[in-house]
Amino acid sequence: MRIGYPCVNETLDCTSATTFRLASYNDERLVQTVATNLACLQRILEYNVERGLLFFRLSSGIVPFGSHPINTYPWQHHFAAEFRQIGDYIKANNMRVSFHPDQFVVLNSPDEGIVQRSIAELVYQGSMFDLMELDSKAKLQIHVGGLYGDRDLAISRFIATYRTLPEAVRVRLVIENDDRLFSLQDCLRVHEAVGIPILFDNFHHECLNHGEPMAEALQLAAGTWDPNLDGPLMMDYSSQQLGERKGKHTSSLEEELFREFLPNVGNLEPDIMLEIKDKEASALRAVAILRELGRVPALPEPTA
DNA sequence: GACCGTCAAGGTGCG
DNA sequence: CGCACCTTGACGGTC
């Protein structure tokens, strides 16, 4: 069981997703920006390892315009050594990493152009895992997509597109149950058709479900992961921000709710991503709780 | 130096 | 039909 947080470290004075405007694109600017993003990513990973935070969602913005046609620079070649070094560090410290391409990646869109741009984005993000020499346990996490007024058709379009994906993307792709459109049940239908693992989101499941108790839902999702190829279940954890719109993530970890949730995972040992606004502050509190319960080691793993 | 409108990309749902 | 929302920072033009 590893605990993590997404993309941004609020303690350090750097970000791994510095970008610039499309209008000011040039290769020199690209190289400079990727260099500082990778340097910052390395610092964040070190910060995490020193504190026992061994799960991390990498920012999709490491390479600005990474899948945009304007970016023809061979950054994969130019930064091969840096990516490899980061991958070595991840592996040496038994970390788990993921990407979560944003809402523009929609594999089941009826618009072929959107589908092609989505695939290009997945290829870009998957290629960063390849450069890090990480295996298929490093995941690309997306949602099923839009409904377009016909759930069955929307699901069948996702399945058809999935089957056309490049191998490097397909082995790493996972789908997450969402809070409004595609439930765990819908994701299970997709899984049954093509074998794709389901990344479980407890909060989304609370928002949208068919009555499955939390513990049962976790078991169903975990059953879609091949331990050898996919690794342990990944899950997103959050809870409702009181007084806000349904589905709004809490601003800080609600420790009592987290403690009440934990028994639901049983002996699954999932890697848990805290989708909580204050990032590593809450992740550190979650690790402290797991240490207290004896679910993770009392001391961080030594740095290699 | 501070301010603030805007930024590659999609889809839903509300008013 | 148009706009806010998801989620978010920070780019970069302007004064």
Side-chain angles (χ1 to χ4, degrees):
Chain A
M1 186 146 58
R2 285 167 283 212
I3 294 291
Y5 62 99
C7 304
V8 173
N9 181 294
E10 298 187 326
T11 307
L12 299 173
D13 60 357
C14 69
T15 91
S16 59
T18 297
T19 186
F20 48 86
R21 294 290 194 261
L22 180 60
S24 43
Y25 181 92
N26 64 63
D27 288 347
E28 189 181 350
R29 184 86 183 262
L30 178 81
V31 168
Q32 176 60 42
T33 304
V34 175
T36 60
N37 283 343
L38 289 174
C40 181
L41 175 57
Q42 177 67 35
R43 286 182 61 201
I44 295 173
L45 294 176
E46 289 169 6
Y47 173 101
N48 292 348
V49 165
E50 286 164 11
R51 290 158 183 81
L53 298 172
L54 298 181
F55 189 21
F56 190 62
R57 181 183 300 163
L58 307 180
S59 168
S60 303
I62 292 171
V63 179
F65 311 103
S67 67
H68 192 284
I70 198 172
N71 184 348
T72 57
Y73 185 83
W75 53 268
Q76 293 92 339
H77 177 71
H78 189 282
F79 290 102
E82 287 86 348
F83 275 106
R84 187 170 178 168
Q85 183 183 345
I86 286 171
D88 287 347
Y89 186 80
I90 289 167
K91 287 183 283 190
N93 290 285
N94 190 33
M95 296 189 81
R96 190 94 180 275
V97 292
S98 62
F99 280 111
H100 191 345
D102 65 22
Q103 69 267 35
F104 305 110
V105 170
V106 187
L107 288 184
N108 75 344
S109 173
D111 181 329
E112 182 59 22
I114 290 169
V115 173
Q116 288 310 313
R117 285 191 288 279
S118 297
I119 293 172
E121 179 69 14
L122 292 171
V123 167
Y124 148 61
Q125 298 194 23
S127 73
M128 289 192 277
F129 283 150
D130 284 338
L131 289 167
M132 293 176 193
E133 300 184 348
L134 299 176
D135 64 18
S136 58
K137 296 182 179 71
K139 292 301 187 186
L140 302 170
Q141 162 187 1
I142 62 170
H143 296 280
V144 175
L147 270 182
Y148 312 98
D150 187 333
R151 181 178 308 271
D152 291 345
L153 196 56
I155 287 177
S156 65
R157 261 203 316 276
F158 181 95
I159 290 167
T161 300
Y162 178 85
R163 291 183 167 136
T164 73
L165 293 174
E167 175 82 359
V169 168
R170 207 167 61 239
V171 298
R172 292 190 173 112
L173 198 65
V174 301
I175 46 174
E176 172 190 354
N177 59 304
D178 70 68
D179 59 345
R180 292 178 308 136
L181 307 179
F182 293 99
S183 66
L184 174 64
Q185 292 275 341
D186 295 319
C187 291
L188 283 165
R189 284 177 56 193
V190 179
H191 166 76
E192 281 157 21
V194 295
I196 188 170
I198 300 169
L199 188 150
F200 183 71
D201 186 309
N202 78 300
F203 185 31
H204 292 168
H205 186 68
E206 286 174 11
C207 295
L208 178 66
N209 63 72
H210 303 274
E212 312 90 340
M214 191 60 69
E216 181 185 324
L218 272 155
Q219 292 288 334
L220 287 168
T224 65
W225 294 65
D226 181 322
N228 295 318
L229 296 176
D230 302 314
L233 172 69
M234 284 183 183
M235 68 164 289
D236 287 346
Y237 176 87
S238 191
S239 61
Q240 174 68 39
Q241 175 72 45
L242 293 177
E244 290 280 351
R245 157 192 75 74
K246 181 183 175 187
K248 175 81 172 178
H249 291 182
T250 186
S251 56
S252 181
L253 180 68
E254 301 281 355
E255 293 196 10
E256 283 312 303
L257 292 177
F258 185 62
R259 287 175 189 275
E260 288 166 20
F261 171 80
L262 281 174
N264 292 308
V265 311
N267 54 9
L268 288 176
E269 301 287 324
D271 290 328
I272 304 177
M273 178 71 57
L274 296 186
E275 286 200 317
I276 294 179
K277 195 170 175 54
D278 66 359
K279 306 289 178 181
E280 74 274 14
S282 283
L284 289 167
R285 287 162 59 206
V287 169
I289 289 169
L290 291 177
R291 286 200 181 116
E292 174 198 317
L293 297 173
R295 297 294 298 257
V296 299
L299 294 170
E301 299 289 330
T303 304

